[in-house]
Amino acid sequence: MSTSPSGASQPSQDRATPDSLLHTRTGTDVSPEDLVLASGKDLTPGNLEWAQRKLDQEGPAALDKLLP
């Protein structure tokens, strides 16, 4: 039994969530470790160097590009 009035507006189940609502960065700095873990790689010296270069080039947006 439903408690909402009939004809009440319900969110559509076939609509995608906008990207602006999916990103959860809190405004804190993004570390190379964050970038490596978000990419699904292991924390190795080589991967940390890759992440540092990527952060130097793209800034915190590098993390946003990896996340949905």
Side-chain angles (χ1 to χ4, degrees):
M1 177 189 248
S2 175
T3 59
S4 63
S6 63
S9 176
Q10 296 282 332
S12 174
Q13 297 298 321
D14 63 340
R15 300 187 96 186
T17 303
D19 282 346
S20 62
L21 297 177
L22 292 174
H23 297 287
T24 59
R25 188 161 38 97
T26 61
T28 58
D29 290 333
V30 176
S31 70
E33 290 86 359
D34 294 333
L35 197 58
V36 170
L37 293 174
S39 69
K41 299 178 181 179
D42 291 327
L43 289 173
T44 64
N47 287 341
L48 289 169
E49 289 175 17
W50 163 82
Q52 186 61 57
R53 285 192 308 272
K54 194 159 183 71
L55 285 172
D56 291 343
Q57 293 172 354
E58 301 176 23
L63 184 62
D64 292 337
K65 292 177 181 178
L66 291 173
L67 301 175

Short mmCIF file of all heavy atoms in Angstrom, two decimals:
data_model
loop_
_atom_site.label_atom_id
_atom_site.label_comp_id
_atom_site.label_asym_id
_atom_site.label_seq_id
_atom_site.Cartn_x
_atom_site.Cartn_y
_atom_site.Cartn_z
N MET A 1 0.84 -1.17 0.00
CA MET A 1 0.00 0.00 0.00
C MET A 1 0.89 1.24 0.00
O MET A 1 1.78 1.37 0.82
CB MET A 1 -0.90 -0.04 1.23
CG MET A 1 -1.76 1.20 1.34
SD MET A 1 -2.58 1.20 2.93
CE MET A 1 -4.23 0.95 2.45
N SER A 2 0.64 2.15 -0.88
CA SER A 2 1.45 3.35 -1.01
C SER A 2 0.88 4.46 -0.14
O SER A 2 -0.32 4.62 -0.02
CB SER A 2 1.46 3.79 -2.48
OG SER A 2 2.13 5.01 -2.61
N THR A 3 1.79 5.26 0.45
CA THR A 3 1.35 6.37 1.27
C THR A 3 1.36 7.69 0.51
O THR A 3 0.90 8.69 1.02
CB THR A 3 2.24 6.52 2.52
OG1 THR A 3 3.58 6.73 2.09
CG2 THR A 3 2.14 5.28 3.41
N SER A 4 1.89 7.67 -0.72
CA SER A 4 1.91 8.91 -1.50
C SER A 4 0.61 9.04 -2.29
O SER A 4 0.01 8.05 -2.68
CB SER A 4 3.11 8.92 -2.45
OG SER A 4 3.01 7.88 -3.38
N PRO A 5 0.17 10.27 -2.47
CA PRO A 5 -1.06 10.47 -3.23
C PRO A 5 -0.91 9.99 -4.67
O PRO A 5 0.18 10.06 -5.23
CB PRO A 5 -1.30 11.98 -3.18
CG PRO A 5 -0.06 12.59 -2.65
CD PRO A 5 0.77 11.51 -2.05
N SER A 6 -1.97 9.51 -5.24
CA SER A 6 -1.89 9.04 -6.62
C SER A 6 -1.58 10.21 -7.53
O SER A 6 -2.04 11.32 -7.31
CB SER A 6 -3.19 8.36 -7.03
OG SER A 6 -4.25 9.30 -6.99
N GLY A 7 -0.75 9.96 -8.51
CA GLY A 7 -0.36 11.01 -9.45
C GLY A 7 0.77 11.86 -8.93
O GLY A 7 1.16 12.83 -9.56
N ALA A 8 1.32 11.55 -7.77
CA ALA A 8 2.43 12.33 -7.23
C ALA A 8 3.64 12.19 -8.13
O ALA A 8 3.87 11.14 -8.72
CB ALA A 8 2.77 11.87 -5.82
N SER A 9 4.40 13.22 -8.21
CA SER A 9 5.60 13.21 -9.05
C SER A 9 6.65 12.28 -8.45
O SER A 9 7.03 12.43 -7.31
CB SER A 9 6.14 14.63 -9.16
OG SER A 9 7.34 14.63 -9.89
N GLN A 10 7.10 11.31 -9.23
CA GLN A 10 8.12 10.36 -8.82
C GLN A 10 9.33 10.58 -9.72
O GLN A 10 9.19 10.87 -10.89
CB GLN A 10 7.62 8.92 -9.00
CG GLN A 10 6.44 8.56 -8.13
CD GLN A 10 6.87 8.30 -6.70
OE1 GLN A 10 7.98 7.88 -6.45
NE2 GLN A 10 5.97 8.54 -5.76
N PRO A 11 10.56 10.43 -9.17
CA PRO A 11 11.74 10.54 -10.04
C PRO A 11 11.73 9.43 -11.07
O PRO A 11 11.35 8.31 -10.78
CB PRO A 11 12.91 10.40 -9.09
CG PRO A 11 12.37 10.01 -7.77
CD PRO A 11 10.88 10.16 -7.82
N SER A 12 12.14 9.76 -12.26
CA SER A 12 12.20 8.78 -13.33
C SER A 12 13.35 7.82 -13.10
O SER A 12 14.46 8.24 -12.78
CB SER A 12 12.37 9.49 -14.67
OG SER A 12 12.56 8.55 -15.69
N GLN A 13 13.13 6.54 -13.25
CA GLN A 13 14.16 5.53 -13.04
C GLN A 13 15.10 5.42 -14.23
O GLN A 13 16.15 4.82 -14.13
CB GLN A 13 13.50 4.17 -12.77
CG GLN A 13 12.68 4.14 -11.51
CD GLN A 13 13.49 4.41 -10.26
OE1 GLN A 13 14.62 3.97 -10.13
NE2 GLN A 13 12.92 5.16 -9.34
N ASP A 14 14.76 6.01 -15.36
CA ASP A 14 15.59 5.86 -16.55
C ASP A 14 16.46 7.09 -16.83
O ASP A 14 17.04 7.21 -17.88
CB ASP A 14 14.72 5.54 -17.77
CG ASP A 14 13.75 6.66 -18.10
OD1 ASP A 14 13.46 7.50 -17.22
OD2 ASP A 14 13.26 6.69 -19.25
N ARG A 15 16.58 7.98 -15.87
CA ARG A 15 17.39 9.18 -16.07
C ARG A 15 18.74 9.01 -15.37
O ARG A 15 18.82 8.50 -14.27
CB ARG A 15 16.67 10.40 -15.51
CG ARG A 15 15.33 10.61 -16.22
CD ARG A 15 14.74 11.87 -15.80
NE ARG A 15 15.13 12.81 -16.84
CZ ARG A 15 14.88 14.10 -16.79
NH1 ARG A 15 14.29 14.62 -15.76
NH2 ARG A 15 15.25 14.89 -17.76
N ALA A 16 19.78 9.47 -16.02
CA ALA A 16 21.13 9.38 -15.45
C ALA A 16 21.37 10.55 -14.49
O ALA A 16 20.84 11.63 -14.67
CB ALA A 16 22.16 9.42 -16.57
N THR A 17 22.18 10.30 -13.47
CA THR A 17 22.56 11.35 -12.54
C THR A 17 23.57 12.27 -13.21
O THR A 17 24.54 11.79 -13.80
CB THR A 17 23.18 10.74 -11.27
OG1 THR A 17 22.25 9.83 -10.70
CG2 THR A 17 23.54 11.82 -10.26
N PRO A 18 23.38 13.58 -13.13
CA PRO A 18 24.32 14.51 -13.77
C PRO A 18 25.71 14.38 -13.14
O PRO A 18 25.86 14.13 -11.94
CB PRO A 18 23.75 15.89 -13.47
CG PRO A 18 22.35 15.66 -13.00
CD PRO A 18 22.27 14.26 -12.50
N ASP A 19 26.76 14.57 -13.94
CA ASP A 19 28.12 14.46 -13.47
C ASP A 19 28.40 15.36 -12.27
O ASP A 19 29.13 15.00 -11.37
CB ASP A 19 29.12 14.80 -14.58
CG ASP A 19 29.31 13.66 -15.55
OD1 ASP A 19 28.88 12.54 -15.23
OD2 ASP A 19 29.89 13.89 -16.62
N SER A 20 27.82 16.55 -12.27
CA SER A 20 28.08 17.50 -11.18
C SER A 20 27.65 16.95 -9.82
O SER A 20 28.16 17.37 -8.79
CB SER A 20 27.38 18.83 -11.45
OG SER A 20 25.97 18.63 -11.50
N LEU A 21 26.73 15.99 -9.80
CA LEU A 21 26.29 15.39 -8.55
C LEU A 21 27.09 14.14 -8.19
O LEU A 21 27.03 13.68 -7.06
CB LEU A 21 24.81 15.03 -8.63
CG LEU A 21 23.85 16.19 -8.81
CD1 LEU A 21 22.42 15.68 -8.94
CD2 LEU A 21 23.97 17.18 -7.66
N LEU A 22 27.86 13.61 -9.13
CA LEU A 22 28.60 12.39 -8.88
C LEU A 22 29.97 12.64 -8.26
O LEU A 22 30.47 11.83 -7.52
CB LEU A 22 28.79 11.61 -10.18
CG LEU A 22 27.53 11.02 -10.79
CD1 LEU A 22 27.85 10.42 -12.14
CD2 LEU A 22 26.93 9.98 -9.87
N HIS A 23 30.58 13.75 -8.57
CA HIS A 23 31.92 14.02 -8.07
C HIS A 23 31.86 14.43 -6.61
O HIS A 23 31.04 15.25 -6.22
CB HIS A 23 32.60 15.11 -8.91
CG HIS A 23 32.78 14.68 -10.33
ND1 HIS A 23 33.72 13.76 -10.71
CD2 HIS A 23 32.12 15.02 -11.45
CE1 HIS A 23 33.64 13.56 -12.01
NE2 HIS A 23 32.68 14.31 -12.48
N THR A 24 32.74 13.86 -5.81
CA THR A 24 32.65 14.06 -4.36
C THR A 24 33.88 14.71 -3.77
O THR A 24 34.02 14.73 -2.56
CB THR A 24 32.43 12.71 -3.66
OG1 THR A 24 33.53 11.85 -3.97
CG2 THR A 24 31.12 12.07 -4.07
N ARG A 25 34.76 15.25 -4.57
CA ARG A 25 35.96 15.87 -4.02
C ARG A 25 35.55 16.98 -3.07
O ARG A 25 34.67 17.78 -3.35
CB ARG A 25 36.84 16.42 -5.14
CG ARG A 25 38.17 16.89 -4.62
CD ARG A 25 39.24 17.00 -5.70
NE ARG A 25 38.79 17.48 -6.97
CZ ARG A 25 38.89 18.74 -7.37
NH1 ARG A 25 39.40 19.65 -6.60
NH2 ARG A 25 38.47 19.07 -8.56
N THR A 26 36.20 17.04 -1.92
CA THR A 26 35.80 17.97 -0.86
C THR A 26 36.57 19.28 -0.89
O THR A 26 36.49 20.05 0.05
CB THR A 26 36.00 17.31 0.51
OG1 THR A 26 37.38 17.00 0.66
CG2 THR A 26 35.15 16.07 0.66
N GLY A 27 37.33 19.53 -1.91
CA GLY A 27 38.11 20.75 -1.98
C GLY A 27 39.49 20.59 -1.38
O GLY A 27 40.28 21.52 -1.39
N THR A 28 39.79 19.42 -0.85
CA THR A 28 41.12 19.19 -0.30
C THR A 28 42.08 18.89 -1.44
O THR A 28 41.69 18.55 -2.55
CB THR A 28 41.11 18.01 0.69
OG1 THR A 28 40.64 16.85 0.01
CG2 THR A 28 40.21 18.29 1.87
N ASP A 29 43.36 19.01 -1.12
CA ASP A 29 44.37 18.72 -2.14
C ASP A 29 44.33 17.26 -2.55
O ASP A 29 44.04 16.39 -1.75
CB ASP A 29 45.76 19.05 -1.61
CG ASP A 29 45.97 20.55 -1.43
OD1 ASP A 29 45.32 21.32 -2.15
OD2 ASP A 29 46.79 20.92 -0.59
N VAL A 30 44.62 17.02 -3.81
CA VAL A 30 44.68 15.66 -4.33
C VAL A 30 46.14 15.23 -4.29
O VAL A 30 47.02 15.91 -4.80
CB VAL A 30 44.15 15.61 -5.78
CG1 VAL A 30 44.31 14.23 -6.37
CG2 VAL A 30 42.71 16.07 -5.83
N SER A 31 46.39 14.10 -3.66
CA SER A 31 47.76 13.60 -3.56
C SER A 31 48.03 12.58 -4.68
O SER A 31 47.09 12.02 -5.25
CB SER A 31 47.98 12.93 -2.21
OG SER A 31 47.26 11.72 -2.14
N PRO A 32 49.30 12.34 -4.96
CA PRO A 32 49.62 11.29 -5.93
C PRO A 32 49.03 9.93 -5.52
O PRO A 32 48.57 9.17 -6.36
CB PRO A 32 51.14 11.25 -5.94
CG PRO A 32 51.55 12.61 -5.51
CD PRO A 32 50.51 13.06 -4.53
N GLU A 33 49.01 9.67 -4.21
CA GLU A 33 48.42 8.41 -3.73
C GLU A 33 46.94 8.33 -4.09
O GLU A 33 46.46 7.26 -4.49
CB GLU A 33 48.60 8.29 -2.20
CG GLU A 33 50.02 8.05 -1.77
CD GLU A 33 50.84 9.34 -1.61
OE1 GLU A 33 50.30 10.46 -1.86
OE2 GLU A 33 52.02 9.25 -1.26
N ASP A 34 46.22 9.44 -3.95
CA ASP A 34 44.80 9.47 -4.32
C ASP A 34 44.62 9.10 -5.79
O ASP A 34 43.73 8.32 -6.14
CB ASP A 34 44.20 10.86 -4.09
CG ASP A 34 44.15 11.28 -2.65
OD1 ASP A 34 44.09 10.39 -1.76
OD2 ASP A 34 44.17 12.49 -2.39
N LEU A 35 45.47 9.69 -6.63
CA LEU A 35 45.35 9.46 -8.07
C LEU A 35 45.67 8.01 -8.43
O LEU A 35 44.96 7.40 -9.24
CB LEU A 35 46.28 10.42 -8.80
CG LEU A 35 46.02 10.62 -10.28
CD1 LEU A 35 44.61 11.13 -10.54
CD2 LEU A 35 47.03 11.58 -10.87
N VAL A 36 46.70 7.45 -7.82
CA VAL A 36 47.05 6.06 -8.09
C VAL A 36 45.92 5.13 -7.67
O VAL A 36 45.51 4.24 -8.43
CB VAL A 36 48.38 5.67 -7.37
CG1 VAL A 36 48.61 4.17 -7.45
CG2 VAL A 36 49.55 6.42 -7.98
N LEU A 37 45.39 5.33 -6.47
CA LEU A 37 44.32 4.45 -5.99
C LEU A 37 43.05 4.60 -6.83
O LEU A 37 42.37 3.62 -7.12
CB LEU A 37 44.03 4.74 -4.51
CG LEU A 37 45.17 4.38 -3.55
CD1 LEU A 37 44.84 4.84 -2.14
CD2 LEU A 37 45.46 2.89 -3.59
N ALA A 38 42.72 5.82 -7.25
CA ALA A 38 41.53 6.04 -8.08
C ALA A 38 41.67 5.38 -9.44
O ALA A 38 40.68 5.00 -10.06
CB ALA A 38 41.26 7.54 -8.24
N SER A 39 42.92 5.24 -9.90
CA SER A 39 43.13 4.61 -11.21
C SER A 39 43.14 3.09 -11.12
O SER A 39 43.21 2.40 -12.14
CB SER A 39 44.46 5.10 -11.81
OG SER A 39 45.55 4.59 -11.07
N GLY A 40 43.11 2.56 -9.88
CA GLY A 40 43.09 1.11 -9.71
C GLY A 40 44.46 0.47 -9.73
O GLY A 40 44.59 -0.75 -9.78
N LYS A 41 45.50 1.29 -9.67
CA LYS A 41 46.86 0.76 -9.71
C LYS A 41 47.39 0.56 -8.29
O LYS A 41 46.84 1.09 -7.33
CB LYS A 41 47.77 1.74 -10.45
CG LYS A 41 47.36 1.95 -11.90
CD LYS A 41 48.25 2.97 -12.57
CE LYS A 41 47.81 3.20 -14.01
NZ LYS A 41 48.65 4.19 -14.68
N ASP A 42 48.49 -0.18 -8.20
CA ASP A 42 49.16 -0.39 -6.92
C ASP A 42 50.03 0.82 -6.59
O ASP A 42 50.51 1.53 -7.49
CB ASP A 42 50.05 -1.64 -6.97
CG ASP A 42 49.24 -2.92 -7.07
OD1 ASP A 42 48.13 -2.97 -6.51
OD2 ASP A 42 49.72 -3.86 -7.72
N LEU A 43 50.25 1.04 -5.29
CA LEU A 43 51.11 2.13 -4.84
C LEU A 43 52.58 1.72 -4.96
O LEU A 43 53.19 1.22 -4.03
CB LEU A 43 50.78 2.51 -3.39
CG LEU A 43 49.46 3.22 -3.17
CD1 LEU A 43 49.18 3.38 -1.69
CD2 LEU A 43 49.45 4.57 -3.87
N THR A 44 53.12 1.90 -6.15
CA THR A 44 54.52 1.61 -6.40
C THR A 44 55.24 2.93 -6.70
O THR A 44 54.59 3.92 -7.08
CB THR A 44 54.69 0.67 -7.61
OG1 THR A 44 54.23 1.34 -8.79
CG2 THR A 44 53.91 -0.64 -7.41
N PRO A 45 56.55 2.95 -6.55
CA PRO A 45 57.28 4.20 -6.87
C PRO A 45 57.01 4.69 -8.29
O PRO A 45 56.84 5.89 -8.52
CB PRO A 45 58.75 3.81 -6.66
CG PRO A 45 58.70 2.72 -5.64
CD PRO A 45 57.45 1.94 -5.96
N GLY A 46 56.96 3.78 -9.24
CA GLY A 46 56.70 4.18 -10.63
C GLY A 46 55.32 4.78 -10.81
O GLY A 46 55.16 5.78 -11.53
N ASN A 47 54.32 4.17 -10.19
CA ASN A 47 52.95 4.69 -10.31
C ASN A 47 52.81 6.04 -9.59
O ASN A 47 52.08 6.92 -10.05
CB ASN A 47 51.95 3.69 -9.74
CG ASN A 47 51.78 2.50 -10.65
OD1 ASN A 47 52.10 2.53 -11.83
ND2 ASN A 47 51.29 1.40 -10.09
N LEU A 48 53.52 6.20 -8.48
CA LEU A 48 53.48 7.49 -7.78
C LEU A 48 54.15 8.59 -8.62
O LEU A 48 53.66 9.73 -8.64
CB LEU A 48 54.16 7.37 -6.42
CG LEU A 48 53.37 6.55 -5.40
CD1 LEU A 48 54.23 6.26 -4.17
CD2 LEU A 48 52.08 7.25 -5.01
N GLU A 49 55.21 8.25 -9.33
CA GLU A 49 55.86 9.22 -10.22
C GLU A 49 54.91 9.60 -11.36
O GLU A 49 54.80 10.77 -11.72
CB GLU A 49 57.16 8.65 -10.78
CG GLU A 49 58.26 8.55 -9.75
CD GLU A 49 59.50 7.87 -10.30
OE1 GLU A 49 59.65 7.77 -11.54
OE2 GLU A 49 60.33 7.44 -9.49
N TRP A 50 54.23 8.60 -11.93
CA TRP A 50 53.25 8.85 -12.98
C TRP A 50 52.16 9.81 -12.47
O TRP A 50 51.79 10.77 -13.14
CB TRP A 50 52.62 7.53 -13.42
CG TRP A 50 51.35 7.70 -14.18
CD1 TRP A 50 51.21 7.99 -15.51
CD2 TRP A 50 50.01 7.62 -13.65
NE1 TRP A 50 49.87 8.10 -15.83
CE2 TRP A 50 49.13 7.88 -14.71
CE3 TRP A 50 49.49 7.38 -12.39
CZ2 TRP A 50 47.74 7.89 -14.53
CZ3 TRP A 50 48.12 7.39 -12.22
CH2 TRP A 50 47.26 7.64 -13.28
N ALA A 51 51.67 9.53 -11.27
CA ALA A 51 50.60 10.34 -10.70
C ALA A 51 51.08 11.77 -10.44
O ALA A 51 50.34 12.73 -10.69
CB ALA A 51 50.08 9.70 -9.42
N GLN A 52 52.29 11.91 -9.95
CA GLN A 52 52.81 13.26 -9.69
C GLN A 52 52.94 14.06 -10.98
O GLN A 52 52.57 15.24 -11.04
CB GLN A 52 54.17 13.19 -8.98
CG GLN A 52 54.68 14.55 -8.56
CD GLN A 52 53.74 15.25 -7.59
OE1 GLN A 52 53.43 14.71 -6.53
NE2 GLN A 52 53.29 16.44 -7.94
N ARG A 53 53.43 13.42 -12.04
CA ARG A 53 53.52 14.10 -13.34
C ARG A 53 52.14 14.51 -13.83
O ARG A 53 51.94 15.62 -14.33
CB ARG A 53 54.20 13.19 -14.38
CG ARG A 53 55.68 13.07 -14.23
CD ARG A 53 56.34 12.40 -15.43
NE ARG A 53 55.72 11.13 -15.81
CZ ARG A 53 56.06 9.95 -15.33
NH1 ARG A 53 57.01 9.85 -14.42
NH2 ARG A 53 55.46 8.85 -15.73
N LYS A 54 51.16 13.61 -13.69
CA LYS A 54 49.80 13.90 -14.13
C LYS A 54 49.21 15.07 -13.33
O LYS A 54 48.57 15.95 -13.90
CB LYS A 54 48.94 12.64 -14.00
CG LYS A 54 47.62 12.71 -14.71
CD LYS A 54 47.11 11.30 -14.93
CE LYS A 54 45.82 11.26 -15.70
NZ LYS A 54 45.96 11.63 -17.09
N LEU A 55 49.44 15.08 -12.03
CA LEU A 55 48.95 16.19 -11.20
C LEU A 55 49.65 17.50 -11.56
O LEU A 55 49.01 18.56 -11.56
CB LEU A 55 49.15 15.87 -9.72
CG LEU A 55 48.18 14.86 -9.13
CD1 LEU A 55 48.61 14.48 -7.72
CD2 LEU A 55 46.77 15.41 -9.12
N ASP A 56 50.94 17.44 -11.86
CA ASP A 56 51.67 18.64 -12.27
C ASP A 56 51.11 19.21 -13.56
O ASP A 56 51.03 20.43 -13.73
CB ASP A 56 53.16 18.35 -12.44
CG ASP A 56 53.87 18.05 -11.12
OD1 ASP A 56 53.31 18.38 -10.04
OD2 ASP A 56 54.97 17.47 -11.17
N GLN A 57 50.69 18.34 -14.47
CA GLN A 57 50.16 18.78 -15.77
C GLN A 57 48.70 19.22 -15.69
O GLN A 57 48.32 20.22 -16.30
CB GLN A 57 50.29 17.67 -16.80
CG GLN A 57 51.69 17.32 -17.17
CD GLN A 57 51.76 16.07 -18.05
OE1 GLN A 57 50.76 15.41 -18.31
NE2 GLN A 57 52.97 15.74 -18.49
N GLU A 58 47.87 18.45 -14.97
CA GLU A 58 46.42 18.66 -15.01
C GLU A 58 45.83 19.22 -13.73
O GLU A 58 44.67 19.62 -13.72
CB GLU A 58 45.73 17.33 -15.33
CG GLU A 58 46.16 16.74 -16.66
CD GLU A 58 45.54 15.38 -16.92
OE1 GLU A 58 44.49 15.07 -16.34
OE2 GLU A 58 46.13 14.62 -17.70
N GLY A 59 46.59 19.20 -12.65
CA GLY A 59 46.07 19.66 -11.37
C GLY A 59 45.03 18.68 -10.83
O GLY A 59 44.94 17.53 -11.28
N PRO A 60 44.21 19.13 -9.87
CA PRO A 60 43.20 18.25 -9.26
C PRO A 60 42.19 17.67 -10.25
O PRO A 60 41.57 16.66 -9.98
CB PRO A 60 42.50 19.16 -8.25
CG PRO A 60 43.45 20.26 -7.97
CD PRO A 60 44.25 20.44 -9.23
N ALA A 61 42.05 18.31 -11.41
CA ALA A 61 41.13 17.79 -12.43
C ALA A 61 41.53 16.41 -12.90
O ALA A 61 40.70 15.67 -13.44
CB ALA A 61 41.05 18.75 -13.61
N ALA A 62 42.79 16.04 -12.70
CA ALA A 62 43.25 14.70 -13.10
C ALA A 62 42.45 13.63 -12.39
O ALA A 62 42.12 12.60 -12.96
CB ALA A 62 44.75 14.55 -12.80
N LEU A 63 42.11 13.87 -11.12
CA LEU A 63 41.31 12.91 -10.36
C LEU A 63 39.88 12.86 -10.90
O LEU A 63 39.30 11.79 -11.05
CB LEU A 63 41.32 13.26 -8.88
CG LEU A 63 40.60 12.27 -7.96
CD1 LEU A 63 41.25 10.90 -8.01
CD2 LEU A 63 40.58 12.79 -6.55
N ASP A 64 39.32 14.02 -11.21
CA ASP A 64 37.95 14.06 -11.74
C ASP A 64 37.84 13.30 -13.06
O ASP A 64 36.79 12.71 -13.35
CB ASP A 64 37.50 15.51 -11.96
CG ASP A 64 37.33 16.27 -10.66
OD1 ASP A 64 37.12 15.61 -9.62
OD2 ASP A 64 37.43 17.50 -10.68
N LYS A 65 38.89 13.30 -13.85
CA LYS A 65 38.86 12.58 -15.12
C LYS A 65 38.83 11.07 -14.94
O LYS A 65 38.38 10.35 -15.81
CB LYS A 65 40.06 12.99 -15.98
CG LYS A 65 40.00 14.42 -16.44
CD LYS A 65 41.22 14.78 -17.22
CE LYS A 65 41.17 16.25 -17.66
NZ LYS A 65 42.37 16.63 -18.39
N LEU A 66 39.32 10.59 -13.80
CA LEU A 66 39.33 9.15 -13.55
C LEU A 66 38.04 8.65 -12.93
O LEU A 66 37.71 7.48 -13.04
CB LEU A 66 40.49 8.80 -12.61
CG LEU A 66 41.89 8.93 -13.19
CD1 LEU A 66 42.92 8.70 -12.10
CD2 LEU A 66 42.09 7.94 -14.32
N LEU A 67 37.34 9.53 -12.24
CA LEU A 67 36.12 9.12 -11.54
C LEU A 67 34.90 9.37 -12.40
O LEU A 67 34.89 10.28 -13.23
CB LEU A 67 36.00 9.90 -10.22
CG LEU A 67 37.16 9.71 -9.25
CD1 LEU A 67 36.98 10.61 -8.05
CD2 LEU A 67 37.27 8.25 -8.83
N PRO A 68 33.85 8.58 -12.20
CA PRO A 68 32.63 8.79 -13.00
C PRO A 68 31.96 10.11 -12.69
O PRO A 68 32.11 10.67 -11.68
CB PRO A 68 31.74 7.63 -12.60
CG PRO A 68 32.30 7.07 -11.35
CD PRO A 68 33.70 7.52 -11.25
#
